[in-house]
Amino acid sequence: MAIKIIGTGSYLPENVADNHFLSTIVDTNDEWISQRTGIKERRLSSGSNEGTTFMATQAAMRAMEDAGVTAEEIDLIIVATASADSYVPNTSCQVQGEIGAIRATCFDLNAACSGFLFGLNTADAYLETGMAKTVLVIGAETLSREVDWSDRSTCILFGDGAGAVVLRKMDGKGGILASVTGSDGTQGEVLTCKGRGIQNPFHKSRRKKDYIQMNGQAVFRFAVTTVPKYIKQILKKTNTDVNDIKFFVLHQANRRILELIAKRLKVDMDKIPMNLDHYGNTSAASIPILLDELNKNDLLDEGDKLILSGFGGGLTWGAILIEW
Ligand code: ACO
């Protein structure tokens, strides 16, 4: 039996904010952003009718259509997000309500930009043990609500969007072959977006709404050491030659990070597909959006080996080997 991705989908808002547009909001320019990040433009939500739940639902419906499954067949929905529209109900229950997946168990998962990988991992465990048969895993983010639009060091990096996959345990070989995930809470302060302050009869928080704050260079160093290390670990664990991997589908944070990862793995950049120039960093959504792009452009053939890998706040990281 194999645990396979049988459908993909994605959704991106129509609003495009290119680097020139951002230079009218903060003291920045296209040259700085392009050289340091590779990002040219990003998509931004048009408002509360295009939030995390809406985008997650659209991506999910497209993935279900691609897979040819109905909502009644879905028995688990996992939404990876760090930017839900509400604390309660969670995003996955709202998606369930929207699509009518009445049989599904639903929960959200927050591992920041690594969230989709953690979601796949969790789906794999449910499917492997027989606790679920058909699973929707969605990565969806509206990071534009968590960014301080007067902070040029962060607002240029992020974008909104959602990606989804349908997984099923089925006869045959391939599918998810192996995965590694990890976390280091001792480095959590490197990348934060704090919640509401405590307001109760004993305490009146004076904290105002918090925004994404980041030590960019520390995140950069963490990414370029951790991602190659865990990719090498998974290759070794599965006795797979790096040259047998068709694509490394990596979290789309920064072109320079991807180039350094390629160098450290000794692979050509044409094995590292990229769409961050158009979408920026969409956190938990970036890997499923890119996977959907590869799938819809007919770049994935049965038997192709892929590594999905990324890193994010927490700190968190993961790598998954898949045979398509
Ligand atoms: N436009 C123009 N100048 C800027 C901008 C901007 N948008 N932002 C910062 N600067 C200035 C700084 O003020 C600083 O000026 P100074 O030298 O006068 O003090 C100068 O540019 C250099 O700033 P650094 O922060 O040192 O720039 P760096 O080369 O480290 O690049 C960057 C910053 C792009 C954020 C880089 O550190 C990076 O990519 N890090 C990884 C970040 C990342 O990927 N985060 C998300 C991953 S985790 C997740 O996905 C949730």
Side-chain angles (χ1 to χ4, degrees), residues 51-85:
T52 303
T53 297
F54 177 83
M55 293 191 284
T57 303
Q58 297 304 311
M61 291 195 303
R62 290 171 189 181
M64 284 160 52
E65 191 185 343
D66 188 41
V69 305
T70 62
E72 289 76 24
E73 291 174 86
I74 307 284
D75 44 24
L76 174 66
I77 302 175
I78 303 172
V79 176
T81 185
S83 52
D85 298 337

Side-chain angles (χ1 to χ4, degrees), residues 10-323:
S10 60
Y11 176 88
L12 289 140
E14 275 183 20
N15 282 335
V16 178
D18 66 13
N19 293 344
H20 298 290
F21 176 72
L22 291 197
S23 71
T24 65
I25 300 175
V26 287
D27 181 16
T28 190
N29 55 70
D30 176 52
E31 193 189 351
W32 194 97
I33 302 173
S34 302
Q35 280 181 5
R36 304 265 175 151
T37 71
I39 299 166
K40 287 281 183 192
E41 58 190 33
R42 68 288 290 144
R43 301 295 182 90
L44 301 181
S45 159
S46 58
S48 53
N49 60 349
E50 200 179 38
T52 303
T53 297
F54 177 83
M55 293 191 284
T57 303
Q58 297 304 311
M61 291 195 303
R62 290 171 189 181
M64 284 160 52
E65 191 185 343
D66 188 41
V69 305
T70 62
E72 289 76 24
E73 291 174 86
I74 307 284
D75 44 24
L76 174 66
I77 302 175
I78 303 172
V79 176
T81 185
S83 52
D85 298 337
S86 56
Y87 292 135
V88 180
N90 64 26
T91 311
S92 52
C93 283
Q94 293 178 57
V95 172
Q96 174 190 32
E98 292 292 331
I99 65 176
I102 44 169
R103 291 182 45 251
T105 297
C106 307
F107 58 87
D108 288 8
L109 178 159
N110 179 353
C113 306
S114 313
F116 179 75
L117 298 170
F118 283 49
L120 269 192
N121 219 9
T122 308
D124 184 42
Y126 268 77
L127 288 160
E128 193 58 58
T129 56
M131 284 169 68
K133 290 197 167 54
T134 307
V135 182
L136 248 179
V137 181
I138 307 165
E141 303 277 15
T142 321
L143 287 180
S144 62
R145 62 151 55 96
E146 292 183 355
V147 159
D148 177 354
W149 286 97
S150 64
D151 175 10
R152 68 177 181 174
S153 69
T154 52
C155 75
I156 52 126
L157 298 173
F158 300 102
D160 301 331
V165 298
V166 178
L167 293 127
R168 191 171 259 175
K169 190 170 184 177
M170 52 207 294
D171 287 334
K173 63 182 197 64
I176 295 180
L177 299 180
S179 65
V180 287
T181 52
S183 314
D184 179 4
T186 66
Q187 291 194 65
E189 288 303 310
V190 162
L191 176 55
T192 62
C193 183
K194 305 225 161 120
R196 279 207 299 246
I198 292 172
Q199 302 285 351
N200 69 23
F202 298 101
H203 186 77
K204 296 272 173 279
S205 171
R206 273 177 279 149
R207 177 150 25 103
K208 298 212 178 74
K209 163 101 179 89
D210 201 29
Y211 295 100
I212 291 178
Q213 293 184 38
M214 183 179 65
N215 176 340
Q217 289 181 6
V219 174
F220 195 101
R221 281 193 300 275
F222 159 69
V224 299
T225 49
T226 308
V227 173
K229 181 174 162 192
Y230 285 90
I231 289 178
K232 283 179 188 166
Q233 193 182 96
I234 207 167
L235 289 171
K236 194 168 170 204
K237 186 170 146 184
T238 55
N239 237 336
T240 308
D241 191 310
V242 71
N243 297 309
D244 291 341
I245 303 297
K246 182 166 181 185
F247 291 123
F248 296 83
V249 184
L250 305 182
H251 172 45
Q252 302 287 295
N254 180 314
R255 169 184 273 276
R256 288 189 300 144
I257 290 177
L258 299 187
E259 285 170 351
L260 267 168
I261 292 172
K263 199 168 160 198
R264 290 184 178 182
L265 292 173
K266 299 193 177 69
V267 298
D268 289 340
M269 278 306 285
D270 57 11
K271 287 199 163 197
I272 307 216
M274 233 183 300
N275 60 14
L276 61 87
D277 45 341
H278 293 302
Y279 305 140
N281 178 348
T282 56
S283 186
S286 89
I287 291 176
I289 291 172
L290 183 57
L291 194 62
D292 184 44
E293 238 173 58
L294 295 171
N295 187 25
K296 298 290 162 60
N297 289 329
D298 286 328
L299 292 169
L300 302 178
D301 297 312
E302 199 175 337
D304 283 346
K305 287 195 172 146
L306 313 175
I307 282 190
L308 278 45
S309 183
F311 60 94
L315 297 170
T316 54
W317 61 87
I320 299 186
L321 174 63
I322 290 179
E323 188 177 313

